[in-house]
Amino acid sequence: MRLLVEQLAARAWPAAEAVAADGWLLRHTPALTRRRSNSALPVGDAPHARVVEEFYARRGRRALVQIAPAEVRGGLDRELARMGWTSDGPTDVLIADAATVLARTRPGAVAIAPAVDASWVAMWAACEGRPDADAHADEVLARIEPATGYAVAGEGEGVGLAVCEAGWAGLFCVATAPAARRRGVAGAVVHALTRWATERAARRIYLQVETANAAAHALYASTGFKRSHGYHYRLAPAS
């Protein structure tokens, strides 16, 4: 199940270039700096790091590997650590039954659209408090192939999106505007996206939360999510 969730998550946030080679999914997105858009995901048995190093060297980047699931890729992680690759970005993957999430959250004034537009991207950037968060985001979102719903709470108090595939829905970009926090906005967004996903045959929900984000962990624990596994990144030494 953990491997399936990682594969679904990779499809839900697609890179501009994704190449399957020698047990790896090699991802490259020149316009973005986000790690998951520019890292290699192990998808086969005992992958060797050389193909990763060569792939990113040809693109002028330091090689980056997403150790996911960390509980399954311990051997790879230890080997890269021995080679001097540094660790960063510890993240937890949480899962829940959709029925449980619906029972533990409340509906609110949330609208869901089947396609993204510039206003949604701008609201997401505002909620994140990062003016540059929307840079090239529309390019990533336009590449998503599975059914996707884009949520907006009120007049931009909160946003989020869900990507449905194979009976699962991944929640991404769930964020609340600073002035609207602690008002149940995030819970309402999660409820609306989960409801939308169940109407498209999703029965289980997954999402990713940075390990150090205590507030998000508390929110999702209260709505029925439990930790499935973790991942982190390994960055190759500078040449």
Side-chain angles (χ1 to χ4, degrees):
M1 181 183 69
R2 294 176 294 188
L3 293 172
L4 171 62
V5 169
E6 287 303 324
Q7 292 171 1
L8 293 175
R11 282 178 50 79
W13 196 266
E17 180 183 12
V19 178
D22 296 340
W24 295 97
L25 178 64
L26 305 166
R27 299 173 294 188
H28 181 227
T29 308
L32 297 180
T33 59
R34 287 179 177 252
R35 288 174 292 204
R36 61 180 163 180
S37 299
N38 290 287
S39 59
L41 177 69
V43 294
D45 295 331
H48 194 283
R50 179 169 296 176
V51 67
V52 177
E53 294 172 314
E54 293 173 350
F55 177 85
Y56 289 106
R58 290 194 297 270
R59 289 154 181 80
R61 285 183 178 265
R62 288 170 66 183
L64 183 67
V65 168
Q66 183 183 0
I67 305 293
E71 292 79 357
V72 175
R73 303 298 182 182
L76 172 64
D77 190 40
R78 289 187 293 273
E79 175 62 15
L80 294 181
R82 186 191 64 79
M83 295 167 58
W85 292 48
T86 55
S87 178
D88 193 18
T91 301
D92 294 315
V93 179
L94 312 180
I95 62 173
D97 290 331
T100 300
V101 175
L102 291 176
R104 293 192 181 186
T105 54
R106 296 182 179 180
V110 180
I112 298 183
V116 68
D117 58 21
S119 64
W120 188 93
V121 174
M123 282 185 281
W124 173 51
C127 288
E128 291 279 2
R130 291 169 43 202
D132 63 339
D134 61 343
H136 304 287
D138 54 341
E139 299 174 16
V140 176
L141 300 175
R143 287 193 290 269
I144 301 175
E145 295 181 358
T148 307
Y150 296 87
V152 175
E155 298 299 319
E157 287 85 3
V159 298
L161 68 89
V163 181
C164 295
E165 186 175 14
W168 287 81
L171 302 189
F172 298 87
C173 304
V174 177
T176 305
R181 289 171 185 167
R182 300 186 183 279
R183 299 180 186 175
V185 173
V189 168
V190 169
H191 183 96
L193 289 172
T194 302
R195 176 70 66 188
W196 177 89
T198 61
E199 293 169 357
R200 286 151 184 82
R203 294 294 176 263
R204 306 194 81 181
I205 312 296
Y206 71 88
L207 52 84
Q208 303 154 329
V209 181
E210 291 184 354
T211 301
N213 191 338
H217 275 284
L219 166 67
Y220 292 122
S222 71
T223 58
F225 284 88
K226 296 182 179 180
R227 187 180 187 278
S228 166
H229 59 277
Y231 69 80
H232 57 275
Y233 295 91
R234 285 281 181 185
L235 179 64
S239 57

